[in-house]
Amino acid sequence: MTSVSAQDPSSNTPDRELGEHAFRLCQTLLRIDTTNPPGRERAAAEVVAGELAAAGLDPLTLESAPERTNVVARLRGTGELPPILLTAHLDVVEAEASAWKHPPFSGVVADGCLWGRGAIDMKNMAAMSVAILARLAREKPRLRRDVIFAAVADEEAGCDHGSRFLVENHPDLVRAEYAIGESGGYTLHLGKATFYPIQVAEKGLCWVRARVRGEPGHGSMPREDSAVIKLADAIARLEKPLPVHVTPYVRDFVDGLAAKQPAPLRALLRRLLHPAIAPHVLRALPDRMIARSFGAMLSNTASPTILRAGAKVNVIPGFAEAEIDGRTLPGQTEADFLRELGAVLGPEVSLEIVKSAPPTTTDPVDSPLYDTIRAAILEREPGATVVPYMIPGFTDAKYFTQLGAKWYGFSPVKMPKGLRFAELFHGHDERIPVDGLKWGTEVLFDVVRRFCL
């Protein structure tokens, strides 16, 4: 009888032991509240380190601040080729528990899914990576590359206590030629076609504080020059999108989608690649989630997220301010973004950059890792299409690529029709299909093993 561990990783036969390990670990991690802020990733990091140690590895735990814990482990290869890095963040965004069908930190299995904050963002990737490293450590194949795994803190708040800390303070532990992290490899259904987007680019971030001054006064005597009113008017103008800029990454993505669609939809999709026409197409799309997704890929974006003004209800304040989450396209600078933002908000609004980082890009052309990913998916789903993709958010790629890593967002999960990956990301009722998680673990194992042999 062939043992589970000896199965061909490219086989379509489910590797139940590997998938079950990833499922159990993901469920355990989901039951640990690592909401950021404050983060407190130590408990989750200790679980990860314990699993890796049990497999015979020597994980390092590195704290950038109390309870802001990172884990790094290395499976040694022959060193013939440079290392590959697998990475996942252990922190999660907040969850409004009253709006969830199942408690966000319960790790409940219901309706074929594993529920919990972090199920797809991205404790699933941590669990898959640990299961894969543990399997490789036990099988001891002759790998030509070291395989490094980094479980990091603080990605959801800007990476300072996680990937940035490691890159700036322990670069030799995480330096690699290639890196695999979030976000990509999930099933995307469009019409009758199935796609698997692989992240090859991500937008930059430019978080801005916008401030307006006005004349203070008594609340009983409204003022037309109130700072609050002027700021509210300016922020309301952000309802209109910023100008369209078509990048090569989005062009490749749209062309890939369009090629598999019937003629009317194919023509509509390709109109998104014309800056003068795209805004009209986006307004006409009946599916607003799809419209928002494409809109974020076609423009720099500015989302007001925090408003501040005043301290007493009967005092008109002398200033009001907003914090704006800005995201910049590849090819666009901070100056470009501030110019576009200022044109919308008007000359009375002063702008100050609070935090920024440039876009991140990796060329998928002639990439052996991209080709390996594509082959692994198509062997399992010959009718699917693998497409390069740019995400509108940011990831730990912002820092790991500073050490020269070529980054691909690939945390694979098979999604059924009707369950949209993008809607679960930071949303209520975040969950991952159990079978989809196990499928993703097998695909990722196949990719890593092939690429390193």
Side-chain angles (χ1 to χ4, degrees), residues 239-305:
E239 180 184 10
K240 182 180 179 181
L242 299 178
V244 170
H245 307 280
V246 179
T247 66
Y249 309 98
V250 173
R251 185 178 297 278
D252 290 346
F253 177 64
V254 170
D255 283 343
L257 297 182
K260 297 293 184 177
Q261 303 305 316
L265 182 54
R266 181 164 61 245
L268 180 65
L269 285 169
R270 286 181 172 152
R271 287 186 184 124
L272 291 170
L273 302 178
H274 298 276
I277 301 173
H280 304 288
V281 176
L282 293 173
R283 283 195 295 271
L285 287 174
D287 190 319
R288 299 317 298 160
M289 192 278 288
I290 291 179
R292 286 191 295 272
S293 295
F294 277 116
M297 288 189 282
L298 289 166
S299 301
N300 297 325
T301 56
S303 296
T305 53

Side-chain angles (χ1 to χ4, degrees), residues 89-400:
H89 62 85
L90 297 175
D91 61 320
V92 299
V93 297
E94 65 182 353
E96 185 183 351
S98 62
W100 283 55
K101 184 177 178 181
H102 301 286
F105 298 104
S106 62
V108 165
V109 175
D111 303 320
C113 292
L114 176 60
W115 296 61
R117 177 59 87 214
I120 60 169
D121 184 24
M122 65 171 313
K123 290 178 176 178
N124 62 318
M125 182 63 173
M128 291 192 294
S129 298
V130 170
I132 288 165
L133 226 65
R135 168 62 65 84
L136 291 172
R138 291 181 177 119
E139 287 188 346
K140 296 181 173 58
R142 187 182 181 277
L143 303 178
R144 295 191 294 164
R145 299 178 186 269
D146 290 1
V147 181
I148 306 168
F149 173 58
V152 301
D154 200 36
E155 190 270 352
E156 297 291 2
C159 310
D160 288 349
H161 291 290
S163 54
R164 179 181 177 184
F165 165 76
L166 292 175
V167 166
E168 293 180 353
N169 295 278
H170 304 280
D172 291 341
L173 293 180
V174 291
R175 196 186 309 276
E177 182 182 20
Y178 290 90
I180 298 179
E182 61 180 340
S183 164
Y186 55 88
T187 321
L188 174 64
H189 301 282
L190 185 61
K192 295 182 179 180
T194 300
F195 301 89
Y196 285 90
I198 310 302
Q199 180 204 330
V200 298
E202 65 183 37
K203 294 175 80 171
L205 65 101
C206 190
W207 293 345
V208 172
R209 182 177 294 114
R211 175 174 282 201
V212 178
R213 294 194 175 275
E215 289 298 321
H218 199 283
S220 65
M221 298 182 67
R223 302 185 61 99
E224 65 276 6
D225 56 357
S226 161
V228 174
I229 298 298
K230 289 193 288 187
L231 179 64
D233 288 343
I235 291 298
R237 292 194 288 273
L238 286 176
E239 180 184 10
K240 182 180 179 181
L242 299 178
V244 170
H245 307 280
V246 179
T247 66
Y249 309 98
V250 173
R251 185 178 297 278
D252 290 346
F253 177 64
V254 170
D255 283 343
L257 297 182
K260 297 293 184 177
Q261 303 305 316
L265 182 54
R266 181 164 61 245
L268 180 65
L269 285 169
R270 286 181 172 152
R271 287 186 184 124
L272 291 170
L273 302 178
H274 298 276
I277 301 173
H280 304 288
V281 176
L282 293 173
R283 283 195 295 271
L285 287 174
D287 190 319
R288 299 317 298 160
M289 192 278 288
I290 291 179
R292 286 191 295 272
S293 295
F294 277 116
M297 288 189 282
L298 289 166
S299 301
N300 297 325
T301 56
S303 296
T305 53
I306 299 173
L307 302 175
R308 298 188 190 92
K312 291 190 69 179
V313 70
N314 64 339
V315 177
I316 296 173
F319 71 90
E321 63 183 24
E323 291 191 18
I324 296 172
D325 182 349
R327 306 297 172 112
T328 55
L329 290 166
Q332 295 286 301
T333 65
E334 292 174 5
D336 294 329
F337 173 67
L338 292 179
R339 184 172 58 253
E340 292 183 350
L341 182 60
V344 174
L345 296 180
E348 285 195 277
V349 182
S350 66
L351 301 176
E352 174 193 358
I353 295 176
V354 177
K355 186 180 181 69
S356 67
T360 303
T361 60
T362 300
D363 191 349
V365 178
D366 297 325
S367 165
L369 180 54
Y370 186 88
D371 292 344
T372 302
I373 290 171
R374 184 176 182 275
I377 291 174
L378 295 184
E379 282 185 4
R380 289 163 174 80
E381 290 202 45
T385 300
V386 176
V387 288
Y389 175 58
M390 180 189 73
I391 66 167
F394 71 86
T395 71
D396 289 303
K398 283 282 177 284
Y399 292 100
F400 287 126

